Structures are given as structure tokens and as C-alpha cells.
Amino acid sequence: MTLVAFTILFAAVVIGYILNLRAARALRDGGAKMHSLNGFHGGYAALMVLIPTFMLIILWLLFQGSVIEFLVKSSLPEGQLEGLGVGEVQLIMAEIQSIAGGRIFGTPDQWKLDAAERLETLRAISAWLMVASTAALAAVMLYVARRRVTADFRARQGLETIVHRLMVACATTAIFITIGIVASLLFETIRFFQMVPFWDFVLGTSWEPQIPIREDQIAAAGAFGMLPVFLGTLVIATVAMFIATPIGLLSAIYLHEFANARVRAVVKPVLEILAGVPTVVYGFFAILVIAPALRNIGGDLGIPIAPNTALAAGSVMGIMLIPFISSFADDALAAVPRSLRDGSLAVGATPAETVLKVLFPAAIPGIVGGILLAVSRAIGETMIVVMAAGLIAKMTINPLDSVTTVTVQIVTLLIGDTAFDNPKTLSAFALGMGLFLMTLVINVAALRIVRKYREIYD
Amino acid sequence: MTDSTAARFDKASPEIKAHLRKRKRSQFMLKTLGIGAISIAFAMLFLLVGSLISTGYQAFTQTHLVVEARIDPALVDPDNPSDGNFRQLALDIVSNRVIGGADTDNTDRLTDILSNRAQFTLRDIVVANPDLVGETVELKLPVADKYDQLHKGMLDRDTPEENRRLSDREIEIFDQLVEGGYVAKPLNWALLTNADSRFPEVAGLKGAIIGSAYALLVCFLLSFPVGIGAAIYLEEFAPKNRISDLIEININNLAAVPSVVFGLLGLAVFIGWFGMPRSVPFVGGMTLALMTLPTIIIATRAAIKAVPPSIREAALGVGASKQQVVFGHVLPLAMPGILTGTIIGMAQALGETAPLLLIGMNAFITSAPSTPFDSATALPTQIFIWADSPERGFVSRTSAAILVLLTFLIAMNALAIFLRNKFERKW
């Protein structure tokens, strides 16, 4: 039915364009002195039909699910959902939905079968209503647009105003995405802090995200202290930066100062390949090659290395960040005015001295900005650590040990669980909030530094 | 005075010589370190690709049992082939045709040789062509994972029997089959044409590839028009005021927000608030679109900026309106750059995993989706699922899946480079 609605929309847009184009052409042929070209009349009609009708379909698709679910839920017999948690209600609704989809397991209660039937009917009604209202709205808009075709109607201005507003809407999407991120995180985080005290989360040193399965279970009450999780993130990010920063900077310096154009033309794209490899591939690389290799080395040296040591995830993350840092440093070095370089070489400094003592200090702000952005990447990186780092949170800074990270916890807490009514799932959003704020601060600082630095020489 | 200066710069003096040597040595050191750093990066890339190829190439072939067998009408009713006893038929094929007579001791072991799914492969063959019932046909059926590993030499025959997944007798039977010429190792098309399965020998990527394609399609349809609209507005129309600045800062920050946060957004807003279904490519595509949007906006702005102002002035001069200038002249000229940026953004979206995990695209689904609203996995999430699977056979399949994903990425990037080289104009 969605397809039918979109077909109607498409047809109405084309019809609107043709109708108004023809009407305008007829007027012009009749000798009227038209303000706007025929095409603008057509385009005006097309957009007049397209925008409201498209919005209607989208809103319908967005909200029909929740409205139907609400109607079905409220039509269930009294008392069936009383005293049940959100998760159990979701289970029942899922069962009803699968019955409605024709997948019946066992012999469900009669009221569930009835509800499934109602669900089916409501869905069918909703689909028909959507098509009908789409057609009706399209017809109305066609009529309205057609009535506007006159000799002195300023169709070009009308069309351009609509297009202008559309573009403004597109540009503000970015703001709405940010608002969406903050709102969704904040909303669930506030609910989390209603269950777990704020300071327990921020200053707690123990992270055991369990919830009691039975009401009277006290032992498994769980602890939600974020410190060990953030500490683990920092450990892995530090390992990554220890590998990425020297290698990235040295290769940037070599490429910028010593390599000729042919070497650059080969090396730069190859480094870019490292940046383009998906992180899930790096994660698999870490568990397939790096972690066993580290364990063997540790075994030979007699050092106990945990199977999912922070070193494995961190070093692979470091490899991923090499091109990031090297391209930022290369840009920063290239932005230093040539006169500084030439001056240094002219008084007899070697190229190495020029790079290290003249260009590098001048490029420091840009390089620091790049390194900060890399740190923010390392903190937010998910797949490598999900696959190669540990799950248990420990208060340790030993990179040979297994640590967990914020992103690992977010993913493991939310995989396969959607009941947002317990501290376990909600804590993922609180962690996400912490992660978002942390990376935001670093990003803003980094972008500031980079931008400020650029202004000096431009 | 002049004398002493001359003495200080006397190149032959031992101090100067030593100093010069030191400076040259540090120059050499820096150069060597630079080469070393680049070599490390290169070595890691080779190690990465090399390890993937060396583990993954095995999955591009699959050991099959090739036998002439009769489809027994006693087991399969030609009028109703889909209800036949294909399990028994598969067993009979192995025991009668291959070993040459029922070997009751080994019946249990024999059932293991063929993949658990071989009976369904048989069923599909017969259902597609019911005339085969009663005929003797040549059949090619996948063997189980452990025999596949044995045949590919990945199962060490020297390990003690109790630590091995196959007993000595089982290996002996299989070796007889190999000697009899009943075993072949053809190209593993099932890797691309089958959907996921619990059994590595028949698991394939079809569902993941189609799921990824749907998600990318949705992502493109949303982010491309919106991204171009936003970029045109910001570059050509936006007044220089605080709101425009705010939007700019916003876009730059969004480009650096961790992807898992976008997953949280998708989970809370699309699934939690709007009640959309989990695990569907449509929601995945919407989430990816939010992430791709900043990339496309930034690339489009750069492409629009590269169009020289003289084009705009010429068009304005002959009486075009501002929008006619932009849509009639600037945008077409900027299109190659925009497309290049978009393709690179799409390639990034194709490799993105974390947000898709959060919205549930890591479900175990054994059929390919037929619409963007059906549950599905995507290529990167499928890789994650396989990497997590305990069966040995999934290790090489994971590598193979990664190679497939990398092939798609290389193809997309090559297309972007081709577009750039072919249509880019230097002004």
C-alpha cells in the first residue's frame, strides 16, 4: 500500500506539472502577457502537490505503528496487562504481532487471537486510509495550484520561495540531528538517574550492570559506577595514541620533507587505504592475528598477557589512526608559509633541522588539533574494542590486562534487549551521554585550535 | 676580528667537522625513522590483507560429494515432491552408492558426512524438477564443515584422536571417498547465493548483501537530496549571521560524533519513540543517512566553492535569477565533485557496523529480505556475527566475507576516482 501511495504522489506531481504548464501555455497563446515562464507555473504546481502530500505519507508511516499498537493495547480485555513490566507487555505485543503475521506457536489464548485479528483489521484500515487521504490531499493541492495560474501570477517567485524554504529546512536538519542526539540521550539518561543516584554513577568504582531477575534478589543488585569503564577507554586510547602519534608524525615529516613526488604519489593513497578499511575488519584482524601474536610473545617472555588484552585492541586502533594523524600533520606542515622554510634553509640549516626546529613548531597547533581529533576517534571507536577487548570492568591501568570500554558496554548492554525500563539498558544511554560529551569537548577544542591556527597565516 | 671569524668557519677544523657530521647524522636518523614509520604502516597493511587472504581463500571453494544416485520413488512421491523423505534419501546415497552396501555400524557416522542442509539442497533440486524422481542423476551435495576442513587440510590428522573432531574411522571412510573420486571442490557460489545458516558449509552472504544494498539505497535517497540542499543554502544563500555559524559548527561536530552515538539515536528515536521495527534495513538506512549527511554536505560545499565566481556573474549578467544561476549552472558544474564525495560517503556507510548493531541488524535470519522493511543483516554485521561464531568453518568464511566487503568498497572508491579524473575541470 505504501507503494500505491507513493505512486499516487508521483502521478499527482507529474499531472500538476503538466496541467499548469498547459494552462500557462494556453493563456500565453491566447495573447496574455504572462509574468512568469510556463515552466515555472508547472514547477510551482509540482512542488505545491509534492511537499504536503509527501509530508502526509511520511508522518503517516512514522506514527501509524504506535497508534495501532496503542489501539490494540487499549482494546485488550481488562486486567490482562495489569501488573506486568514493560518487557512482558512488549513480549505479549510481539506475540500478537507474530500471530497476526501468521506465525502461530502452540495454542495462544483466545484474547490474543482476537487482538491479532483486530491488529490485522486496523492495519488494513490504516493502509486504505493512507491511500485515500493521500489521493484526497493531492487532488486538493492540484486544484489549489491550478486555480493560481493567471497572467500576473508570479510563479517564479512562488517557486523560488518554496525552494528556498526547502533548502533552509535541509540546512537546519543538521541542528535537528544534534537536538535529536541530545534529546534521546538526555531523556533516557534522566530516567536512568531516577533509578541510580547520579553520584553513584559518576564516582562509583565498580561496574556490574546486572538487574535482579526476581523481586527479592538482593545479591545481584548490580553496581553502576562509570569510572572503571572510562578508565578502560582511556587505557586503550592511550595505547592507540602511543602507536599512532609517532608513526603518523614521522611518516608525515618524511613525506613532506624528504620524499619526492613519485614516492608521495604511491605512499599517500596506500596510507589512505588504511583509513578506509571498515573498523569491523580491524576488529577481526585484532582477534585473528594480533592478539594470538601478543600472547605468544608474552608466553615466550614469561609475561602473563590476558587473551583480550588492551594492547591488542589498542595497537590495532593505533594502526587505524596512523593515516588520520599523518594527513593532518602533512596538511599542517604544508600550511606553514614557504618563506619560513626558505629562510631556514638559506641560513644553512639542514632539511631535518628546518622541519624539526622551524616548520614543526609553526605547525604545532594544527598537529595538536589533528591529534585531539584522533583521540576523540579512539574514544568513540566501537567495533575494534567490541571484538577484541574485554567485557569485565576493572580498575586497572595495566595494558596487558583485559579492560572494557564505554562503547563495548553500550553495545553489549543493548544487543537483543529493548525494554527501556531497567537500569541495565538505560545505563547504556548514560554511558552514551558521557561519551558524547567527552568527544564533543575534544572535538570543539580541536576544531577551535585548527581554525585559530589557520587564521594566523591566511 | 676577521681572522677569528675565518678560523671559526674553517671547514677543515676538527670541531666543525665533528659538528657537521653530527648534524648530518641526525638528518639521516630522521630520514630513516620516517622510512621506518612508513614501512611499519605498509607492513601492517600487508599483514592485514595477507592474513585475510590466507585464511579466506579456502572459503571460496567448498568440498562437495559428487555421486550418481537414483531418486527413490519409495521415498519421494513424484506428485508431492516437497514432502519426500529427503533425509533418508541423502543417507541412502552415501551408504549405498558410495560405500557399496549398508554398513549398519557406520550409519550414524555416514549421516554426518553430508551437510545437515544437504537434504534441503536435494529437496530443492527435486521440487524444481519432479521428473527426476525414479531417475539416476548426478548429484553434487555439500559435505559437513569438519569434512570440508579435513579435505582442505585445515584439520590436523596428527592430533590424538580424542582431541580431534573426526575419529580415525571417519577419516578412513572419507579418504575412501576421496580415492573413489567422489569428492570435488568446486567454486563456492553458495557464499554469494545462500542466506545465513548455522552450518558454515552452506552459510552465505545473500541476505547481508541485499540488506546492505537496501540500507544504502535508503541512506542515499535521504542524505543526497538533503545534503545538496543544505550545502547549496549554506554556500550560496545563507546570510552571514549567528544562525549560519551555528549550523556550520554543528555540521563539523556531527562529522566527528562517534558512530555508536548515532546508533543510540536510532534506537531511542526511530525504534523507541516512533515504534519502527527492529533489524530492518529501512531503519538502518535512516540511521546511516544521519551519519553520511555531514560528509555529503562538506563535500558538496567544497565542490560548489570550486566553481569560479565568473560563471555566476555571467549568468546573473544575462538576467538569470539567483536560483537559476545555482540550479542551471553552478550545480551541474559541481556535480562530478558532489558525486565523488557522495560515493565516498556511501562507501563509509557500507562499512559502518556499530549503529547497525544497536538497531538490531545482527539478528540471525536465514532468508534474504524482499523489501527494505523485512528483517535483515548487513555485510559488516554479518561479518561480526560470523566472527563471533564458535564453529571453525566460520573463521575462513569471515575472512571471505571481509574480502567481499572490501571488493565492494574498492569498486566504489575506484568509481569515485574514475569520476573525478574523467569529469573534474581545472578552472
Side-chain angles (χ1 to χ4, degrees):
Chain A
M1 287 317 258
T2 317
L3 199 65
V4 175
F6 275 107
T7 316
I8 292 177
L9 168 69
F10 180 71
V13 168
V14 174
I15 291 172
Y17 180 81
I18 294 173
L19 273 184
N20 274 27
L21 184 79
R22 289 222 172 135
R25 192 181 292 154
L27 277 180
R28 193 180 291 269
D29 291 348
K33 199 166 161 25
M34 304 289 285
H35 169 272
S36 298
L37 294 171
N38 302 343
F40 287 118
H41 284 279
Y44 178 76
L47 283 188
M48 282 289 278
V49 177
L50 176 71
I51 293 166
T53 320
F54 185 71
M55 293 297 289
L56 176 80
I57 299 180
I58 292 297
L59 289 177
W60 200 289
L61 289 177
L62 279 182
F63 288 107
Q64 72 168 358
S66 1
V67 172
I68 290 177
E69 189 173 316
F70 174 76
L71 288 177
V72 170
K73 221 185 261 178
S74 57
S75 73
L76 288 181
E78 293 277 317
Q80 289 292 0
L81 298 181
E82 225 156 82
L84 294 179
V86 179
E88 288 158 275
V89 173
Q90 263 185 2
L91 266 183
I92 291 177
M93 292 313 290
E95 191 185 349
I96 291 173
Q97 288 200 357
S98 71
I99 295 172
R103 298 181 302 276
I104 303 174
F105 304 106
T107 45
D109 301 330
Q110 186 57 41
W111 60 271
K112 283 182 186 163
L113 291 174
D114 291 344
E117 201 168 305
R118 255 194 315 279
L119 181 68
E120 278 289 84
T121 333
L122 281 173
R123 274 189 185 158
I125 293 175
S126 166
W128 278 111
L129 265 182
M130 177 174 79
V131 170
S133 51
T134 303
L137 184 63
V140 170
M141 292 318 290
L142 274 177
Y143 178 73
V144 171
R146 175 64 189 81
R147 284 287 303 272
R148 295 256 169 97
V149 185
T150 53
D152 48 355
F153 176 57
R154 298 159 80 84
R156 181 175 70 76
Q157 277 81 348
L159 176 69
E160 291 191 348
T161 311
I162 298 178
V163 172
H164 190 86
R165 286 189 188 146
L166 269 182
M167 289 192 299
V168 173
C170 290
T172 44
T173 323
I175 292 185
F176 282 111
I177 295 175
T178 309
I179 294 176
I181 290 176
V182 174
S184 60
L185 291 179
L186 204 60
F187 186 71
E188 311 289 353
T189 307
I190 289 172
R191 285 177 59 198
F192 173 69
F193 285 134
Q194 285 166 355
M195 300 176 199
V196 175
F198 178 74
W199 292 113
D200 283 8
F201 177 72
V202 175
L203 296 178
T205 54
S206 155
W207 176 264
E208 281 155 22
Q210 294 129 359
I211 44 165
I213 297 166
R214 296 188 315 273
E215 291 286 322
D216 53 341
Q217 208 174 1
I218 302 161
F224 295 93
M226 68 170 204
L227 285 183
V229 185
F230 275 87
L231 191 66
T233 304
L234 287 184
V235 169
I236 291 188
T238 311
V239 173
M241 296 314 292
F242 255 105
I243 291 189
T245 313
I247 297 182
L249 288 185
L250 283 172
S251 44
I253 287 175
Y254 180 80
L255 285 179
H256 184 257
E257 199 55 41
F258 300 114
N260 58 28
R262 272 198 16 228
V263 175
R264 278 175 71 95
V266 174
V267 173
K268 281 202 111 180
V270 174
L271 286 183
E272 293 302 315
I273 294 177
L274 275 179
V277 172
T279 54
V280 66
V281 177
Y282 279 115
F284 185 63
F285 178 60
I287 49 178
L288 184 74
V289 179
I290 302 293
L294 285 175
R295 208 161 50 244
N296 285 343
I297 294 173
D300 292 345
L301 298 177
I303 308 167
I305 293 186
N308 38 20
T309 157
L311 217 49
S315 53
V316 171
M317 201 187 277
I319 299 170
M320 182 191 81
L321 292 174
I322 291 172
F324 200 77
I325 290 187
S326 92
S327 76
F328 253 95
D330 202 14
D331 288 351
L333 288 173
V336 178
R338 212 182 153 75
S339 53
L340 281 181
R341 206 183 107 119
D342 291 348
S344 164
L345 291 173
V347 296
T350 63
E353 286 159 352
T354 306
V355 168
L356 288 183
K357 296 186 177 152
V358 178
L359 299 189
F360 200 73
I364 275 280
I367 292 174
V368 169
I371 290 179
L372 278 183
L373 283 180
V375 170
S376 136
R377 277 247 173 142
I379 292 173
E381 171 47 46
T382 311
M383 287 324 291
I384 296 176
V385 281
V386 165
M387 294 169 86
L391 287 176
I392 314 286
K394 279 186 210 156
M395 281 299 271
T396 175
I397 52 166
N398 176 8
L400 300 179
D401 217 336
S402 142
V403 297
T404 191
T405 73
V406 179
T407 47
V408 172
Q409 290 304 318
I410 292 176
V411 169
T412 42
L413 287 172
L414 288 177
I415 278 189
D417 206 342
T418 45
F420 297 160
D421 65 334
N422 57 60
K424 192 178 148 198
T425 41
L426 289 176
S427 68
F429 286 90
L431 286 178
M433 191 77 190
L435 180 69
F436 177 69
L437 291 179
M438 209 160 143
T439 49
L440 186 72
V441 170
I442 298 176
N443 291 340
V444 170
L447 291 173
R448 272 256 164 99
I449 292 174
V450 172
R451 191 187 287 182
K452 208 168 184 182
Y453 159 72
R454 268 190 200 137
E455 281 162 6
I456 300 174
Y457 293 120
D458 280 354
Chain B
M1 183 70 196
T2 32
D3 284 355
S4 71
T5 332
R8 268 178 61 200
F9 288 107
D10 181 8
K11 277 196 172 176
S13 96
E15 298 110 79
I16 298 280
K17 259 189 176 166
H19 191 58
L20 212 58
R21 245 198 325 273
K22 207 177 132 202
R23 289 174 63 196
K24 281 195 174 143
R25 199 163 52 234
S26 66
Q27 156 109 356
F28 177 75
M29 281 287 288
L30 187 66
K31 222 168 161 175
T32 319
L33 280 176
I35 294 176
I38 291 175
S39 313
I40 292 177
F42 271 56
M44 283 302 157
L45 184 63
F46 281 119
L47 188 60
L48 173 68
V49 176
S51 66
L52 289 176
I53 291 177
S54 69
T55 52
Y57 82 97
Q58 297 273 29
F60 287 107
T61 56
Q62 166 67 41
T63 313
H64 279 67
L65 207 58
V66 185
V67 283
E68 299 253 314
R70 179 164 168 269
I71 310 283
D72 192 348
L75 294 172
V76 183
D77 179 4
D79 296 328
N80 187 10
S82 52
D83 278 352
N85 187 351
F86 289 100
R87 195 183 144 69
Q88 188 60 44
L89 183 65
L91 182 58
D92 287 357
I93 286 171
V94 183
S95 61
N96 296 335
R97 289 281 148 186
V98 178
I99 305 298
D103 181 350
T104 42
D105 287 351
N106 288 317
T107 333
D108 283 347
R109 287 176 181 159
L110 291 175
T111 44
D112 280 8
I113 292 184
L114 282 181
S115 161
N116 225 316
R117 309 298 292 176
Q119 45 177 318
F120 301 107
T121 315
L122 260 179
R123 184 188 66 192
D124 292 345
I125 294 172
V126 178
V127 170
N129 190 359
D131 295 340
L132 293 178
V133 178
E135 302 287 317
T136 300
V137 284
E138 195 191 66
L139 293 167
K140 224 191 235 177
L141 298 169
V143 306
D145 179 44
K146 42 191 179 182
Y147 289 97
D148 185 41
Q149 306 248 329
L150 178 73
H151 193 55
K152 288 172 179 168
M154 291 190 286
L155 197 89
D156 191 0
R157 288 163 188 259
D158 298 332
T159 33
E161 190 174 3
E162 62 271 19
N163 295 343
R164 221 188 298 131
R165 293 168 67 204
L166 290 172
S167 66
D168 289 341
R169 174 81 186 121
E170 284 169 327
I171 291 183
E172 197 183 311
I173 294 177
F174 191 74
D175 285 345
Q176 281 173 21
L177 289 177
V178 178
E179 272 165 36
Y182 291 112
V183 177
K185 208 165 65 171
L187 268 188
N188 185 12
W189 287 111
L191 186 68
L192 296 179
T193 57
N194 277 7
D196 196 10
S197 167
R198 289 260 180 255
F199 304 99
E201 64 271 13
V202 288
L205 292 169
K206 187 182 174 195
I209 291 174
I210 295 179
S212 265
Y214 279 138
L216 275 194
L217 181 72
V218 171
C219 171
F220 174 79
L221 288 180
L222 288 173
S223 59
F224 187 65
V226 175
I228 288 186
I232 292 175
Y233 178 76
L234 291 174
E235 204 54 48
E236 300 279 341
F237 296 97
K240 285 271 164 268
N241 59 19
R242 294 184 64 174
I243 297 178
S244 310
D245 279 352
L246 184 71
I247 295 177
E248 275 213 59
I249 295 172
N250 237 304
I251 291 172
N252 286 334
N253 275 326
L254 275 183
V257 168
S259 61
V260 71
V261 172
F262 284 99
L264 287 174
L265 166 77
L267 179 63
V269 175
F270 298 145
I271 295 177
W273 297 356
F274 289 129
M276 291 184 185
R278 276 171 78 84
S279 310
V280 299
F282 182 73
V283 179
M286 287 184 21
T287 314
L288 291 178
L290 301 182
M291 302 183 50
T292 318
L293 196 58
T295 316
I296 293 186
I297 293 178
I298 291 168
T300 306
R301 290 187 67 173
I304 291 177
K305 226 181 240 165
V307 176
S310 56
I311 302 271
R312 297 178 182 82
E313 282 148 16
L316 284 171
V318 295
S321 76
K322 191 92 205 308
Q323 282 194 13
Q324 283 174 315
V325 171
V326 171
F327 290 104
H329 299 277
V330 177
L331 201 56
L333 289 172
M335 221 20 145
I338 298 175
L339 285 180
T340 308
T342 307
I343 294 171
I344 289 171
M346 289 292 136
Q348 273 172 19
L350 177 60
E352 204 53 70
T353 322
L356 298 183
L357 285 185
L358 287 194
I359 60 155
M361 286 189 74
N362 58 331
F364 175 68
I365 293 149
T366 52
S367 60
S370 46
T371 70
F373 301 96
D374 295 339
S375 296
T377 56
L379 264 177
T381 51
Q382 189 69 56
I383 290 168
F384 176 70
I385 301 171
W386 283 0
D388 247 12
S389 301
E391 285 91 349
R392 289 285 304 151
F394 274 121
V395 174
S396 63
R397 292 210 175 229
T398 311
S399 295
I402 288 176
L403 292 175
V404 171
L405 173 65
L406 291 182
T407 310
F408 278 115
L409 290 180
I410 291 170
M412 287 170 84
N413 281 299
L415 180 67
I417 292 169
F418 170 77
L419 275 178
R420 188 164 59 202
N421 292 344
K422 172 124 191 178
F423 294 107
E424 194 181 44
R425 290 175 70 166
K426 288 266 180 279
W427 301 96

